[in-house]
Amino acid sequence: MLLNQIRGKGVVFTGHSLGGAIATLAALHYLCISSSSSAYATAPPVLCVTFGSPLLGNEALSRAILRERWGGNFCHVVSQHDVVPRLLFCPLDAVPVRIIVGLQLQQWPGCTRHVGTVTNSVEDAEQEALQQLIQAHSRVVAMEQKLAAPEMRGGSPYRPFGAYVLCSPDGAACVDGLTAAVQMLYATFAAKCVSGSVKSLEAAHSCYGDLVLKMPQHLVLKRRPRAVDVLAAVSNSNYDAGISLALEASGIDGEATGATTVRHWLKASKRAGRSPSLNCAGLATRLGRITPCRAQIEWYKASFDGDTGYYDAFKQRRSPKKFHKANIYRIKLGQFWDGVLTMLETSQLPHDFHRRAKWVNAARFYQLLVEPLDIADYHRNNLHKTRGSYITHGRERRYELFDKWWKGKGTFTGCTSDTSTTASRTRSKYAGLTQDPCFWARVEDAREQTESAAAGHDAVALATKLESLREFEHYAAELVESKEVSIDVLAPQSSYSLWLEEWKELKLSDEARTSSLFQF
């Protein structure tokens, strides 16, 4: 009911402990219904701030939130001594249920006296064991975060998402990203255990009011690095001194055992935070360098537009010198785009890369230009006879992904939907490239069916093939009439023009057969 009342407005969700988990779920739900609603051109501003909230989902949820560009909507404040945000790093059966109940009952109104009894018993008998258990399991998760694939990792499936503000009595440090959050949640907790600074579980989980009051003071306070850090800054860079200040603010002694590892983690997280954008910028440069290959294929296409069309010229290997050059450029472009997809799948590019108009349009142009050559190569090598139809058995995965990018482009920045584009304009001349990337594969399938129908004697099979051919005839005629095909499709010796002649002969033959049967 509340979500319906505030829909379309900027909202801040907040909660402590289990309330933080509920606030996160409510914020996710609000983001989902807002982004899927056609009533809003853009999703309203949403911020979710949690305090001492337990982990909520697995790595798949974390990556899904990144893909939707919602990571910046979540900020999780975590105390250095709090076990609740780290509890689910342990296997689900490793922590006794009574401890979880004791930690969470304090959130329930009217249970203060009972909570004191439970948490005191936890503190007296099992607090140290629980802390050691959490430290051990969170260490395993932190160490293996970059060493194994998600499906090969053991232990708990829970992983963080969003930004994490790691608070200590000395200040606060902020990290974002799954790997950095996991590593710093472990490092700050382990530093507390080493230093011997121990609080009761209840106090550690209920200290966020004081932390919030002190946080502005830490932000205003000008910190000065120690002498060791000043020397490091002189010998290396101010960046190293900044890392030292972040360590101090998060409650980690820069000279303690393990501080070097944490320093490396922080540096890696900063590099990782910048590298997707830097990689994207570098990729744009590489795209500019590969553009001449695309231009060469365009020239190759233009040289055959008036005769057979570049699809049939490539299939028949006409003008061998031109063919070999075009084939090399085709392979180079395919390698470039396969590399792009590999970088995207390994999180080396921004999570919204596949939503950016520049790259969606570049991928589409490449697909419309080059996939016909891949279809020609497939049929020239007779792979359609051994593997089956190109569309179902021979298509490269990159083209299927590019189709998904293009179909969803109406929701991307700088793009318009197919429907609105078609409705807003009518072509006055034929398209530079045929707008169906699989058009030539459909033509080849139609030619095979036509040949089979002409030689067949099974009346039922013949009727099925004729119906399929009529559907393709109607589809192709609509493309030609709306000028959604390139001029090479209508070249006198193109496969499409040859199929039209074959189809006319088949229809005449079928009409003659039907007429003789009728007379009989």
Side-chain angles (χ1 to χ4, degrees), residues 40-283:
Y40 312 109
T42 58
V46 176
L47 179 63
C48 178
V49 184
T50 70
F51 300 90
S53 173
L55 298 175
L56 189 62
N58 60 8
E59 187 166 342
L61 176 64
S62 176
R63 297 197 180 281
I65 288 172
L66 281 178
R67 283 195 301 271
E68 295 296 329
R69 296 185 291 177
W70 292 344
N73 296 88
F74 296 90
C75 177
H76 307 286
V77 182
V78 175
S79 166
Q80 182 182 9
H81 305 270
D82 195 356
V83 299
V84 173
R86 304 167 173 91
L87 191 63
L88 291 179
F89 283 136
C90 302
L92 301 181
D93 57 351
V95 182
V97 175
R98 65 181 181 277
I99 295 179
I100 300 176
V101 173
L103 289 171
Q104 300 300 342
L105 273 178
Q106 60 181 303
Q107 308 302 313
W108 203 264
C111 296
T112 307
R113 181 173 299 180
H114 178 63
V115 169
T117 303
V118 175
T119 52
N120 286 338
S121 65
V122 172
E123 178 185 0
D124 295 339
E126 297 175 310
Q127 173 172 301
E128 184 176 354
L130 178 62
Q131 291 171 341
Q132 294 299 326
L133 179 70
I134 292 174
Q135 182 181 354
H137 285 288
S138 60
R139 181 181 187 277
V140 171
V141 176
M143 293 300 180
E144 74 178 359
Q145 191 61 34
K146 285 191 174 182
L147 299 179
E151 61 272 11
M152 299 176 61
R153 296 173 188 157
S156 169
Y158 287 89
R159 295 294 183 270
F161 61 83
Y164 270 75
V165 179
L166 303 161
C167 300
S168 76
D170 298 319
C174 183
V175 295
D176 58 4
L178 186 152
T179 300
V182 168
Q183 292 170 340
M184 291 305 294
L185 282 170
Y186 158 70
T188 52
F189 192 74
K192 178 267 302 185
C193 293
V194 171
S195 67
S197 174
V198 178
K199 288 185 177 182
S200 70
L201 298 183
E202 181 180 1
H205 192 51
S206 305
C207 66
Y208 289 95
D210 294 334
L211 287 176
V212 170
L213 291 175
K214 293 179 181 178
M215 198 175 296
Q217 300 175 14
H218 290 301
L219 293 175
V220 173
L221 178 65
K222 290 184 178 180
R223 294 185 172 275
R224 294 184 179 276
R226 297 172 303 168
V228 175
D229 297 328
V230 172
L231 292 176
V234 172
S235 59
N236 295 303
S237 67
N238 290 332
Y239 179 71
D240 291 326
I243 294 293
S244 298
L245 291 178
L247 287 177
E248 180 185 349
S250 59
I252 301 174
D253 186 353
E255 297 180 350
T257 304
T260 302
T261 301
V262 181
R263 189 184 298 272
H264 172 73
W265 285 345
L266 279 175
K267 288 183 177 180
S269 70
K270 298 300 182 185
R271 287 195 299 269
R274 297 193 306 269
S275 61
S277 297
L278 292 177
N279 288 340
C280 189
L283 202 59

